[in-house]
Amino acid sequence: MKGNGRNKHPLSPAHSLPRLLLLALCFLAGVILGQVLAGRVPAETGAELNRYLEDYVRVGGQTGRSAAAALSAVVIYFRYPLLAFLLGFASIGVVLLPCVTVAYGFFLSFSVCCFTAAFGADGVLLALAVFGLRCAVTVPCYFLLAVPSWGTSAALAAVSFGSGRRCAPVIYGRSCWLRLGLSAAALLAGVCADLLLAPALLGMILERIL
């Protein structure tokens, strides 16, 4: 009987795959929404994006390693994974985590589509230079933290809304902090690589197409 209750617990490993699939669907929905709305961006946006990229490359060598650039990169890399982790400590996370996942997919897709709309096929290379490394690091870290956080927030919600007597207490064990530590290390490595490589790579691509 005790074993059956454990299997029904929101933090059970049996629930991890369904949570991952549902969050992946939310991310995909955001990506599709971003593609749809990016098609309605005015044509003038392409010229503005062109000027922005030229200015970015022109001053990139001077500011690429500055404190402001480093802080900006840290915020960009950590914002969604850290938010996913923190929402695991609140029952409202059971609602907010899918919304955050949709927003993550939307803004990423919208940004990439703006590049391709402004520069055509060359925009794919530009988007890869700007977002490729970032996505390779941040997306896995996000889901690594978001999936268990959704489970803990669901468990907290179950306790808060009347079924606390039938649910085991929510415990944030070593695996929780281990996931956070591994994600933080990967994100910091991504920040360092981005600051060192992205401006030069983007400059090479822009010199080719502009």
Side-chain angles (χ1 to χ4, degrees):
M1 193 75 179
K2 185 178 179 180
N4 292 336
R6 187 174 299 173
N7 290 333
K8 294 180 180 179
H9 197 283
L11 299 182
S12 170
H15 291 77
S16 296
L17 182 58
R19 288 197 301 266
L20 174 60
L21 292 176
L22 288 173
L23 288 178
L25 288 175
C26 291
F27 186 82
L28 179 60
V31 168
I32 295 173
L33 182 61
Q35 293 176 342
V36 172
L37 294 184
R40 302 181 180 181
V41 173
E44 293 78 7
T45 303
E48 295 175 2
L49 181 58
N50 193 329
R51 289 192 297 270
Y52 166 78
L53 290 173
E54 289 177 334
D55 293 340
Y56 174 83
V57 173
R58 184 169 59 252
V59 302
Q62 301 174 357
T63 62
R65 299 180 185 180
S66 68
L71 179 60
S72 176
V74 168
V75 171
I76 289 172
Y77 270 74
F78 275 82
R79 55 186 174 182
Y80 285 109
L82 184 58
L83 180 58
F85 177 77
L86 294 177
L87 285 175
F89 292 86
S91 58
I92 192 64
V94 73
V95 175
L96 290 184
L97 268 168
C99 297
V100 170
T101 306
V102 171
Y104 187 13
F106 168 79
F107 287 113
L108 178 60
S109 174
F110 185 84
S111 301
V112 171
C113 289
C114 285
F115 275 84
T116 57
F119 298 100
D122 291 324
V124 177
L125 293 177
L126 285 172
L128 184 62
V130 176
F131 302 105
L133 176 61
R134 184 192 308 174
C135 292
V137 176
T138 58
V139 172
C141 290
Y142 176 80
F143 282 99
L144 178 64
L145 297 174
V147 171
S149 288
W150 204 16
T152 54
S153 62
L156 290 171
V159 172
S160 300
F161 293 101
S163 57
R165 295 180 180 178
R166 300 195 300 272
C167 293
V170 181
I171 299 175
Y172 301 91
R174 289 182 55 188
S175 60
C176 172
W177 306 108
L178 179 61
R179 284 190 297 268
L180 178 63
L182 291 175
S183 297
L187 292 168
L188 284 174
V191 168
C192 294
D194 202 322
L195 291 173
L196 292 173
L197 301 177
L201 180 59
L202 182 58
M204 290 172 55
I205 296 176
L206 285 175
E207 287 177 1
R208 171 188 168 187
I209 68 176
L210 294 181

